[in-house]
Amino acid sequence: MKSFEELGLSEGTLSVLKKKGFEEPSPIQRKTIPAILDGEKDIVAQAQTGTGKTAAFGLPMLELMPEKSKNVQALILAPTRELAIQVAEEIHSLKGKRKLSIVPIYGGQSIEIQLRSLRKGIDIVVGTPGRVIDHLKRKTLKIDNLSYLVLDEADEMLNMGFLDDVREIMEYTPEEKRTMLFSATMPAAIIQLAKKYMREYDVIKITKDQLTVSQTDQIYFEVSAADRFEALCRIIDIEESFYGLVFCRTKLDVDKVSNHLMERGYDADGLHGDMSQSQREKILGKFKKRLLNILVATDVAARGIDVQDLTHVINYALPQDPESYVHRIGRTGRAGKEGIAITFISSKEYRGLQLIQKKTKTDIRKAKLPNVKDVIKTKKRRIKTVLQDIVASTPRSEYFIMSEELLESNNPEEILAALLQYSFQDELNETSYTEIEERVVDSKGKTRLFVAKGKKDNLTRKKLEEFIVSKCNISAGKIRDLEIMDSFSFVTLPFNEAEMLLSLFKKGKKGVGPLITRAKKKASKKR
Ligand code: ADP
Ligand code: MG
């Protein structure tokens, strides 16, 4: 495998990479760096999130750029302000001693500041499409001598409806330039864009593990909407040091979940597109410094946010498609560290989850939520550690005098217990936790189903069998223990097929319950 030295990079760049701690090129970098340095063609490159695409185009571009140019040499378009800033920072950190200037321009930042920096003569502009168009129209940005145009996170730019803007921006660029398109996924619209607006191009794809996330342990829980928040808290509580992203589908959910977490005393906050730029930067900064250990976000707000070493990514709601699942999950398990990806689903969403598993060719296991006893055990351990840390690090304060006074008339165990009671109240009391209803696969991985039809509806074993085969594409041999009674029936199916069937018959028809439900266990124990 090629090292950075073998990719044709200069001494200066190699020493920058060494300082940055990049030991070897990522697969996409191995392929794009020589292609850009030595070739002439345009580039269409695909590799999943977190694989170092910025350096993949940034490094060779920096190598090729002359200093002291009078014009903007490169324009990099990115879908969001965060990404524009992040890309600008990454490229800045890669440029070493070269006299090249890089500015991010994006909506939200004062246009005056941007104008000032644009007037200074810059080499690389990184911007969101909307703000770039503003500047082009005001003629405060000129790109008619551009040598490179980069469309970064192209799929996301299209998703966000920037296609027209991107086309319009292209109108301002000269014929003679190199266009490079980088994207985590390659939907048809991107290929069309490339075909229409790019010269002859090389396609570089990192297909291996393209839609898989090998370092990540993937599990899911089936919890009803009502229990979701409790489940989330347990997952956070059971960890010694949780550092994770929680994904919600809507801005409203982000607010709800993050506020709820804050009310419970967690170091959490939310991030979504409606917040002001400075607000978002502040929150993100805190998260990166680990002043917050839980960040709740929408896909759009979190896309591309580069935070290292997350212990968890939690899909509070099932992502809309397999691609966004992969993007979300890509945040954890980076740099050889194992991460955990957790997905909450309702029984209705089971099919969506199956689709994701199929497309990503990964196995998402069903798991059991941490139980309250274990959560409490962890909390107790944590309290002890924290207290010992405080004892070790805090100089004698006024509390010390108070403590002496208290000990004069009480014994230490009692007064400490009272203090803990005062601080934690019900938190360590099992009965104060809400019960969560969970469905867990039985040990044999099978589910017994109840069918609300029987002999008097003309149902036969054969008919039921055929029906199940047609609905969930299963071989008849896997259908077990059919029992056809007068007005109802039973059948046993492997867990997955049973879930699928249940999700198909979630709703009953007017006034009647669903046709297929889980068979009730015999009431052997009183609740
Ligand atoms: P992508 O655009 O593919 O999502 P980024 O370019 O944002 O990925 O890179 C993700 C992170 O990986 C960044 O923090 C970057 O500094 C780091 N990185 C990039 N290339 C390497 C490398 N060869 N070795 C180590 N870290 C790298
Ligand atoms: Mg990127």
Side-chain angles (χ1 to χ4, degrees):
M1 288 244 243
K2 285 202 167 167
S3 61
F4 278 121
E5 283 81 4
E6 290 163 294
L7 295 180
L9 297 167
S10 65
E11 284 302 319
T13 299
L14 292 175
S15 87
V16 167
L17 292 173
K18 199 161 190 184
K19 262 200 213 124
K20 262 187 88 82
F22 288 14
E23 286 166 5
E24 55 168 26
S26 68
I28 189 74
Q29 291 165 358
R30 278 200 180 95
K31 289 195 170 170
T32 49
I33 292 173
I36 296 170
L37 282 181
D38 309 328
E40 297 275 305
K41 288 190 209 163
D42 285 353
I43 304 277
V44 170
Q46 177 186 11
Q48 76 183 55
T49 303
T51 52
K53 294 195 285 299
T54 316
F57 62 79
L59 286 171
M61 217 163 67
L62 287 166
E63 295 281 13
L64 293 171
M65 268 182 192
E67 292 178 355
K68 295 184 186 146
S69 153
K70 295 218 159 52
N71 310 299
V72 173
Q73 303 195 60
L75 172 65
I76 302 167
L77 294 175
T80 64
R81 315 167 217 198
E82 280 82 7
L83 279 172
I85 295 169
Q86 209 167 284
V87 167
E89 280 173 356
E90 178 89 354
I91 293 186
H92 188 84
S93 80
L94 295 172
K95 83 175 171 116
K97 296 207 169 78
R98 289 192 185 81
K99 291 196 183 64
L100 295 171
S101 61
I102 299 129
V103 260
I105 57 171
Y106 47 86
Q109 188 195 44
S110 136
I111 204 142
E112 294 309 319
I113 297 177
Q114 297 182 354
L115 283 178
R116 228 175 296 148
S117 51
L118 284 174
R119 256 182 249 124
K120 276 196 298 200
I122 45 172
D123 299 285
I124 304 174
V125 173
V126 190
T128 50
R131 188 46 72 100
V132 166
I133 287 191
D134 282 352
H135 280 291
L136 289 171
K137 286 194 171 142
R138 287 164 171 244
K139 299 201 169 57
T140 44
L141 173 64
K142 284 219 169 82
I143 54 172
D144 38 7
N145 276 308
L146 209 62
S147 308
Y148 307 97
L149 174 67
V150 180
L151 309 178
D152 192 22
E153 313 275 357
D155 52 351
E156 195 60 15
M157 286 205 281
L158 297 202
N159 284 345
M160 291 174 71
F162 285 139
L163 182 60
D164 286 339
D165 288 352
V166 170
R167 283 200 198 117
E168 192 177 339
I169 291 167
M170 285 176 149
E171 298 287 322
Y172 286 84
T173 62
E175 279 288 309
E176 274 305 305
K177 64 169 181 299
R178 256 179 122 177
T179 306
M180 302 181 232
L181 185 156
F182 282 77
S183 193
T185 61
M186 272 305 145
I190 296 220
I191 306 295
Q192 276 162 20
L193 182 78
K195 283 205 173 121
K196 200 152 172 199
Y197 293 94
M198 288 167 66
R199 306 176 306 178
E200 203 185 337
Y201 58 82
D202 276 331
V203 176
I204 299 174
K205 251 190 194 180
I206 301 302
T207 42
K208 193 176 142 261
D209 290 345
Q210 188 190 321
L211 272 181
T212 62
V213 207
S214 51
Q215 290 279 359
T216 305
D217 187 20
Q218 300 172 73
I219 56 183
Y220 79 94
F221 298 111
E222 190 183 321
V223 267
S224 68
D227 286 334
R228 239 164 238 210
F229 186 74
E230 282 308 318
L232 175 64
C233 292
R234 280 197 203 173
I235 289 164
I236 296 169
D237 288 344
I238 199 82
E239 277 313 308
E240 287 301 339
S241 54
F242 183 95
Y243 184 48
L245 268 170
V246 178
F247 283 99
C248 294
R249 208 167 279 162
T250 65
K251 296 168 193 167
L252 231 72
D253 287 341
V254 167
D255 281 339
K256 223 164 61 189
V257 173
S258 57
N259 286 333
H260 209 150
L261 284 169
M262 286 186 261
E263 278 160 23
R264 290 243 184 137
Y266 291 101
D267 294 324
D269 213 330
L271 202 69
H272 61 62
D274 275 0
M275 296 173 152
S276 79
Q277 178 59 15
S278 64
Q279 246 176 330
R280 293 211 278 177
E281 272 166 31
K282 213 163 102 195
I283 292 169
L284 200 59
K286 275 192 184 166
F287 186 58
K288 283 190 174 171
K289 289 197 202 105
R290 304 211 180 193
L291 297 172
L292 300 171
N293 67 325
I294 309 165
L295 189 63
V296 187
T298 54
D299 281 305
V300 169
R303 177 72 198 262
I305 286 175
D306 169 37
V307 184
Q308 301 284 313
D309 301 337
L310 292 179
T311 59
H312 287 70
V313 166
I314 297 183
N315 297 311
Y316 198 74
L318 193 69
Q320 270 154 356
D321 46 51
E323 280 76 18
S324 77
Y325 179 84
V326 172
H327 284 316
R328 289 179 179 187
I329 302 312
R331 274 9 177 295
T332 161
R334 282 191 189 177
K337 293 208 175 79
E338 179 133 328
I340 303 174
I342 295 175
T343 304
F344 289 161
I345 62 162
S346 65
S347 49
K348 271 204 302 248
E349 288 167 328
Y350 188 73
R351 272 150 63 87
L353 185 79
Q354 278 202 316
L355 180 74
I356 289 174
Q357 300 200 56
K358 218 170 112 195
K359 281 268 164 91
T360 57
K361 301 195 181 68
T362 49
D363 184 33
I364 308 176
R365 311 183 270 117
K366 179 149 184 158
K368 226 173 132 36
L369 281 169
N371 69 38
V372 174
K373 278 204 177 71
D374 291 336
V375 167
I376 291 175
K377 229 191 266 168
T378 312
K379 280 193 177 174
K380 284 184 179 164
R381 205 165 44 225
R382 197 177 304 140
I383 291 168
K384 284 183 195 161
T385 321
V386 170
L387 287 178
Q388 276 152 5
D389 286 352
I390 296 175
V391 170
S393 66
T394 319
R396 298 193 162 206
S397 62
E398 68 260 43
Y399 290 124
F400 207 83
I401 300 164
M402 208 173 152
S403 141
E404 282 177 339
E405 285 168 7
L406 282 165
L407 284 171
E408 273 167 25
S409 46
N410 298 282
N411 75 43
E413 286 85 0
E414 271 168 4
I415 200 71
L416 251 178
L419 194 59
L420 287 168
Q421 168 78 48
Y422 180 67
S423 312
F424 298 101
Q425 309 212 358
D426 276 348
E427 224 185 299
L428 304 176
N429 180 352
E430 219 177 300
T431 55
S432 71
Y433 285 76
T434 320
E435 249 188 65
I436 298 180
E437 206 188 308
E438 257 191 292
R439 273 192 222 104
V440 188
V441 200
D442 79 11
S443 56
K444 295 181 205 88
K446 299 218 167 64
T447 307
R448 187 86 170 138
L449 296 176
F450 171 88
V451 183
K453 276 191 175 167
K455 283 180 193 146
K456 67 177 173 39
D457 310 290
N458 294 323
L459 190 66
T460 62
R461 293 173 61 99
K462 185 133 185 63
K463 274 193 198 162
L464 184 55
E465 218 174 71
E466 279 169 7
F467 175 77
I468 294 170
V469 167
S470 73
K471 286 290 177 198
C472 44
N473 199 11
I474 180 183
S475 71
K478 289 196 173 155
I479 305 173
R480 296 277 162 83
D481 303 327
L482 282 149
E483 279 182 84
I484 313 288
M485 317 297 224
D486 262 353
S487 52
F488 55 86
S489 311
F490 290 107
V491 61
T492 298
L493 291 180
F495 176 75
N496 284 349
E497 282 75 13
E499 290 293 317
M500 184 183 277
L501 216 53
L502 285 165
S503 67
L504 287 174
F505 291 95
K506 194 70 195 153
K507 274 209 204 108
K509 282 189 196 126
K510 42 182 165 47
V512 192
L515 177 65
I516 298 176
T517 50
R518 278 185 186 75
K520 299 241 165 35
K521 290 251 162 65
K522 278 189 200 121
S524 55
K525 248 197 295 180
K526 266 197 205 142
R527 295 209 83 199

